[in-house]
Amino acid sequence: MKNIKYPLSYSVMMILLALSSSQTFASSQYTIKLQGQIIPSSCDISMDQAGSIILTPSNIARESANKNSIQLPSKNLGFMIRCQGATSFAFRARDIAPNAGNVQLAGEQQRDIFSLGLTNSGQSIGGYLAFIDPERSLMDGKRIPDVLISSNEGVSWRTGQYKLSPSGENIYSWGNQSTPGSARQVNINILLKPFIFNLNQADAVKIDGMTTFEIVYL
């Protein structure tokens, strides 16, 4: 068999053709890596009156005769939850005042009463009930839909209860057909109904109620 000698230019052409085919094959497939970070929209909570409500009992001496407790004027507390984007969230209230969870009426412990603290001698000063007022609460500028409550951290929801639980075990949201909606801003009005016990003390008593409100992302 004869050795066939190709001209130099032909050999170079073959090499270039081989390199060209190799490069074309290598660049015919690319892997693209997609990276980033998903950050949920954060929400902030703010309170009217800097979160401080002054209870001003009046005519206690006249009203306390033959009464175990004295009803004080109702108060409204407004708070706003604002988010960077439409977000599904709820809130919980937790009583952290002295005597929390131990306020009794007629000798029975009441699970839905927030505490107003203790006297220096350890007596219960009183308490208050707290209700969501749907008539004065807004969701993105419109009246909120149904008030929803969940006792299992949002696994299931039910309607028909506006009274807040001071233990923090329940969370509250708003929506339709037992499904919380998403919102950028919710304005909630809480109606407070406070009372104090007839302590029959000559010394001044400092009312000391304290409750935290916490956002719960759903």
Side-chain angles (χ1 to χ4, degrees):
M1 183 176 180
K2 293 182 178 181
N3 292 327
I4 300 176
K5 294 184 179 180
Y6 295 102
L8 178 60
S9 60
Y10 184 81
S11 300
V12 173
M13 186 181 298
M14 292 293 291
I15 293 172
L16 292 175
L17 182 60
L19 289 174
S20 176
S21 299
S22 175
Q23 289 175 350
T24 301
F25 176 78
S27 62
S28 65
Q29 179 176 329
Y30 287 91
T31 299
I32 300 175
K33 182 182 291 185
L34 304 179
Q35 295 180 309
Q37 186 177 10
I38 298 174
I39 302 175
S41 299
S42 61
C43 302
D44 297 317
I45 187 170
S46 59
M47 293 276 180
D48 291 347
Q49 308 171 64
S52 180
I53 295 179
I54 305 300
L55 301 181
T56 53
S58 59
N59 300 322
I60 289 180
R62 187 176 64 214
E63 295 179 9
S64 62
N66 301 319
K67 288 187 177 181
N68 292 324
S69 63
I70 305 160
Q71 193 73 38
L72 303 183
S74 298
K75 295 286 184 176
N76 286 286
L77 169 66
F79 70 91
M80 177 178 66
I81 300 176
R82 179 182 293 171
C83 306
Q84 295 177 350
T87 305
S88 182
F89 58 87
F91 77 92
R92 77 170 87 245
R94 193 184 303 274
D95 188 358
I96 58 172
N99 202 43
N102 295 310
V103 181
Q104 297 184 356
L105 278 176
E108 295 184 3
Q109 186 172 336
Q110 306 292 318
R111 291 174 54 84
D112 54 1
I113 298 179
F114 292 77
S115 172
L116 288 179
L118 295 169
T119 67
N120 291 333
S121 61
Q123 289 180 283
S124 177
I125 295 173
Y128 62 95
L129 298 174
F131 303 84
I132 298 175
D133 183 358
E135 300 289 339
R136 301 178 61 183
S137 300
L138 301 175
M139 179 176 177
D140 286 338
K142 300 179 180 179
R143 179 179 167 182
I144 62 172
D146 294 333
V147 175
L148 306 179
I149 178 175
S150 174
S151 55
N152 51 17
E153 294 297 314
V155 175
S156 60
W157 297 88
R158 63 185 186 276
T159 61
Q161 181 175 336
Y162 301 150
K163 187 185 296 183
L164 299 186
S165 167
S167 66
E169 62 183 339
N170 295 329
I171 60 175
Y172 303 85
S173 190
W174 28 84
N176 294 308
Q177 298 179 350
S178 300
T179 301
S182 297
R184 291 177 62 93
Q185 179 174 317
V186 175
N187 297 75
I188 300 297
N189 187 79
I190 305 294
L191 177 63
L192 307 178
K193 292 184 172 293
F195 67 90
I196 57 174
F197 292 116
N198 186 354
L199 301 173
N200 292 322
Q201 290 197 167
D203 296 334
V205 174
K206 180 182 178 181
I207 294 175
D208 190 20
M210 188 175 297
T211 299
T212 62
F213 288 82
E214 174 191 355
I215 299 172
V216 179
Y217 295 99
L218 304 176

